[in-house]
Amino acid sequence: MVAPVGYGIVGAGYLGKALARGLAAQPGARISAVFDPANAQTVALEFGARIEPTLEALLAADDVDAVVVASPNGLHHAQVVAAAQAGKHVFCEKPVALSYRDADEMIRVCEAAGAVFFAGHVTTYMAGVRRAKEAIAEGLLGELTFVRAVRTTWEGHGGGYSWKKQTAMSGGHLYHHIHELDLVQSLLGPATRATMVGGNVAHHRAGDGDEADMMAMLLEFDGARFAALEYGSAFHWPEHHVLIQGTEGAIRLGFQGDGCTLRTQGRVEQFLLHRSVEEEESRAAFYRAGDEDASSLFGTPDTDVPLWLAGILDEETESFHRLIVTGQLDDEFAALADGSAARSALATADALTLSMREHRTVDVAEVSGGHVVR
Ligand SMILES: NC(=O)c1ccc[n+]([C@@H]2O[C@H](COP(=O)([O-])OP(=O)(O)OC[C@H]3O[C@@H](n4cnc5c(N)ncnc54)[C@H](O)[C@@H]3O)[C@@H](O)[C@H]2O)c1
């Protein structure tokens, strides 16, 4: 009998717990150990796993073949490097790091160790995103020309208690919500030039976080294709959607439970962002709950992910587990495991950050040394 793959959970909060559930459901997978300085108990009890007192102890364990890093963002770099050096495969939550340089090092260390490095970029698994990419590959949109991604909401005051609102640990909105930037580049390829304006316009009270709460970005792709992104928590009219324009048609992906539409000459197709009406409705309910104040939607260790996200994590963990067991990964997910999605997301995020700081357009190659390949 083949021994099960043993997983170690590093960070067992909102997402770590959900990822552990996804992995535990895979045939031939076992949650062996948990390291979390504050919240190891729930996951350890649920899966009969050992609580390790330190990361080093977890990484030294023979029954841990792979780790899931779902700790606060600013901790990922050191933890992933240590895991790879201990010979463990790695699944790393997004953003995998807070800079291109750190992400690049993590990927290189995993490669040198012969370890899998898998970036947990969830939009890749959304059913509607997959349908959109299929339609684009079929040529229904002609040549892609422009993508607009909007992720804007209002968060009330006093959220600074959470690490998710402290830039040094979260990276701020752009890094913490790297999803749309990743999606845009999965459609158009790596951006070549980046411009961002913005800042903290509405969160200056005691107890607020310190991140920029309003960001408007322009991306160029070799001067031939373009994208515009808006992010932030200073917007009382919440919007969340991605609009993909081509020479022959367009697709709108609704992220508020409002579904997706493909329009080409003489044809309209409606489809869901998620796998079922129930998952789509759970997305709509998620947004209704955060309509007045989206800070109520921060995941915390004692909350569970909504149905739509659990569905994505099931598929994501299935991919990761299968990659470890068989070495196989479907082509549509390859960018998550060859380093390219993580590298291009972080390189462009760094270029945008530099652009905002220095009030200029930045060549992405300036921060990546021109090494981004997708
Ligand atoms: N893919 C998604 O849609 C999605 C959604 C939410 C969060 N995330 C990502 O998942 C990761 C975790 O976020 P979360 O929402 O679960 O946050 P969380 O605050 O609920 O959980 C983080 C956990 O990490 C633990 N922790 C703190 N220091 C640690 C250390 N040194 N080593 C190990 N664990 C430590 C905390 O005690 C806590 O239990 C983040 O990278 C976040 O960006 C992804």
Side-chain angles (χ1 to χ4, degrees):
M1 207 177 94
V2 185
V5 178
Y7 289 97
I9 307 297
V10 178
Y14 176 67
L15 241 279
K17 183 173 54 183
L19 288 163
R21 286 180 183 149
L23 280 168
Q26 305 304 325
R30 180 177 70 191
I31 309 301
S32 302
V34 184
F35 168 62
D36 185 316
N39 294 300
Q41 203 81 23
T42 307
V43 171
L45 267 179
E46 185 168 337
F47 301 106
R50 205 169 54 251
I51 295 178
E52 293 288 7
T54 62
L55 176 67
E56 293 68 31
L58 181 138
L59 296 177
D62 288 338
D63 63 354
V64 172
D65 304 296
V67 297
V68 168
V69 176
S71 54
N73 308 338
L75 305 177
H76 295 175
H77 170 247
Q79 292 180 330
V80 168
V81 167
Q85 286 172 341
K88 312 297 183 188
H89 300 296
V90 177
F91 176 101
C92 184
E93 257 312 323
K94 63 80 215 164
V96 302
L98 299 185
S99 70
Y100 171 81
R101 185 192 298 201
D102 282 357
D104 184 55
E105 186 188 1
M106 291 152 74
I107 295 159
R108 284 178 198 273
V109 173
C110 286
E111 275 168 7
V116 167
F117 174 83
F118 197 102
H121 286 190
V122 286
T123 62
T124 315
Y125 285 89
M126 290 177 180
V129 169
R130 292 162 81 174
R131 171 64 198 131
K133 289 180 179 171
E134 191 181 69
I136 291 164
E138 286 167 12
L140 295 179
L141 266 56
E143 296 296 323
L144 296 190
T145 52
F146 180 76
V147 180
R148 177 165 180 256
V150 183
R151 184 190 185 115
T152 51
T153 190
W154 172 255
E155 287 175 10
H157 296 285
Y161 65 88
S162 169
W163 67 263
K164 296 181 178 180
K165 298 287 109 188
Q166 295 159 17
T167 306
M169 192 51 82
S170 73
H173 277 288
L174 179 57
Y175 293 79
H176 191 61
H177 299 136
I178 204 137
H179 306 292
E180 285 70 26
L181 179 56
D182 171 57
L183 174 53
V184 165
Q185 295 189 108
S186 78
L187 294 164
L188 297 177
T192 47
R193 281 158 63 82
T195 310
M196 178 160 81
V197 294
N200 182 356
V201 300
H203 291 84
H204 297 298
R205 295 189 193 165
D208 285 349
D210 64 353
E211 65 189 352
D213 59 9
M214 184 175 280
M215 282 164 277
M217 308 163 226
L218 292 174
L219 297 178
E220 301 168 46
F221 300 78
D222 289 321
R225 305 191 287 180
F226 305 91
L229 294 87
E230 293 166 36
Y231 270 48
S233 53
F235 299 80
H236 278 284
W237 193 292
E239 287 184 88
H240 197 175
H241 63 264
V242 173
L243 196 51
I244 308 165
Q245 307 276 4
T247 52
E248 307 292 329
I251 294 174
R252 183 185 187 281
L253 302 171
F255 280 67
Q256 290 171 304
D258 45 345
C260 308
T261 307
L262 161 73
R263 269 197 219 157
T264 56
Q265 285 167 356
R267 173 176 173 173
V268 175
E269 179 188 326
Q270 310 272 357
F271 51 100
L272 300 178
L273 184 64
H274 298 295
R275 300 182 302 184
S276 65
V277 171
E278 290 72 27
E279 287 190 3
E280 200 79 355
E281 174 48 32
S282 75
R283 182 102 192 182
F286 186 73
Y287 275 90
R288 278 195 299 275
D291 220 23
E292 292 287 311
D293 180 354
S295 51
S296 66
L297 302 181
F298 299 164
T300 55
D302 55 353
T303 54
D304 284 327
V305 300
L307 190 66
W308 58 267
L309 185 49
I312 289 172
L313 301 180
D314 282 349
E315 298 199 42
E316 204 180 43
T317 49
E318 195 273 337
S319 286
F320 180 58
H321 181 61
R322 190 151 55 88
L323 181 58
I324 289 174
V325 174
T326 68
Q328 306 293 315
L329 182 65
D330 294 341
D331 285 350
E332 61 178 321
F333 310 129
L336 304 181
D338 66 12
S340 60
R343 280 193 174 103
S344 58
L346 271 308
T348 304
D350 285 2
L352 287 162
T353 305
L354 188 59
S355 164
M356 186 166 82
R357 191 182 314 135
E358 298 189 353
H359 303 286
R360 65 183 176 92
T361 295
V362 172
D363 282 338
V364 178
E366 192 179 320
V367 299
S368 67
H371 297 309
V372 174
V373 179
R374 180 150 191 159

